Amino acid sequence: MSCRREECAYDCSHEVQQMTCVAKGAKHGPAPIPQEGKWLKATQITDISGLTHGIGWCAPQQGACKLTLNVKKGVIEEALIETIGCSGMTHSAAMAAEVLSGKTILEALNSDLVCDAINTAMRELFLQIVYGRTQTAFSEGGLPIGAGMEDLGKGLRSQIGTMYSTSVKGVRYLEMAEGYILELGLDENDEVIGYKFVHLGKMLEAVKKGVPHKEAFESNVNSYGRFNEAVKKVDPRKE
């Protein structure tokens, strides 16, 4: 890179203006990062693509957000926002979902996403994306728009684990990935050996299609583990 003695292009101090020019020898570009099955040197936001997900938390750490973004040529084409731990955060997620789609990742990073946890998740995902650490870094062509929704599975519900326990009364399983827990199965030692659950997503889909409520409920009840061998069965919310 040649160096000419001339006025600074920007507002430079007098000392800098009086300095002798020294030519730049090294011409190092950015290191290539893996993106959707290719190694690319990113210099602009439009050079960035990838699908990834991560978590964020609010300042008092009372709630959390899992954010999934599908970025194509720097633009967020798909966003999935899942929150837990704060009732107001669900409404924040609704607003943030409208804000995120269609923005570049730089715009999104500098947008008010309503909730601390969602803003933090956006920051963490931005770092993953621009450093080539996405889930699709080595997947040729990346994933199509809609891939984030597939993470929710049938019934389109977040996979939630809700467990509660006390030292005097022990554990209560309330919700698993399989669904809403109806009963815990205990053995002769009062230890949990299985549980019965209802898949809420599938049940509600059946109700929407006109299946009678009782039939929709019963057809989506199942068990896990050795529930059928249980000596005692308890309702985790009442017993």
Side-chain angles (χ1 to χ4, degrees), residues 21-40:
C21 290
V22 177
K24 179 180 178 181
K27 299 180 177 63
H28 295 302
I33 59 175
Q35 291 191 105
E36 300 191 336
K38 298 179 181 178
W39 288 89
L40 300 171

Side-chain angles (χ1 to χ4, degrees), residues 53-54 64-68 80-84 89 93 118 148 151-152 157-160:
H53 43 236
C65 167
K66 179 190 173 189
L67 179 62
T68 303
L80 171 64
I81 305 173
E82 301 171 84
T83 63
I84 191 167
M89 194 184 290
I118 305 173
D151 282 352
L152 296 176
R157 284 174 54 85
S158 297
Q159 296 186 48
I160 298 174

Side-chain angles (χ1 to χ4, degrees), residues 19-135:
M19 285 180 178
T20 299
C21 290
V22 177
K24 179 180 178 181
K27 299 180 177 63
H28 295 302
I33 59 175
Q35 291 191 105
E36 300 191 336
K38 298 179 181 178
W39 288 89
L40 300 171
K41 292 186 176 182
T43 59
Q44 307 292 329
I45 286 294
T46 52
D47 295 332
I48 301 294
S49 293
L51 180 141
T52 196
H53 43 236
I55 60 170
W57 52 94
C58 61
Q61 299 184 13
Q62 294 173 346
C65 167
K66 179 190 173 189
L67 179 62
T68 303
L69 299 178
N70 198 349
V71 178
K72 301 291 185 183
K73 296 183 178 179
V75 177
I76 297 171
E77 297 290 354
E78 178 185 16
L80 171 64
I81 305 173
E82 301 171 84
T83 63
I84 191 167
C86 172
S87 57
M89 194 184 290
T90 60
H91 295 78
S92 300
M95 291 182 275
E98 293 191 45
V99 171
L100 282 170
S101 55
K103 280 184 176 286
T104 69
I105 55 172
L106 184 59
E107 286 179 296
L109 182 67
N110 290 287
S111 294
D112 179 7
L113 300 177
V114 190
C115 165
D116 271 356
I118 305 173
N119 284 318
T120 303
M122 182 64 225
R123 180 194 71 198
E124 297 301 308
L125 261 65
F126 182 87
L127 295 175
Q128 288 184 33
I129 294 166
V130 297
Y131 285 126
R133 302 298 192 271
T134 63
Q135 304 299 308

Side-chain angles (χ1 to χ4, degrees), residues 207-219:
V207 171
K208 283 169 60 179
K209 292 175 181 178
V211 177
H213 295 70
K214 190 172 187 297
E215 181 184 340
F217 172 80
E218 292 176 349
S219 63

Side-chain angles (χ1 to χ4, degrees), residues 5-8 10-21:
R5 191 176 188 80
E6 56 185 20
E7 292 296 321
C8 292
Y10 300 100
D11 185 17
C12 297
S13 68
H14 175 73
E15 287 78 10
V16 170
Q17 292 185 35
Q18 298 305 309
M19 285 180 178
T20 299
C21 290

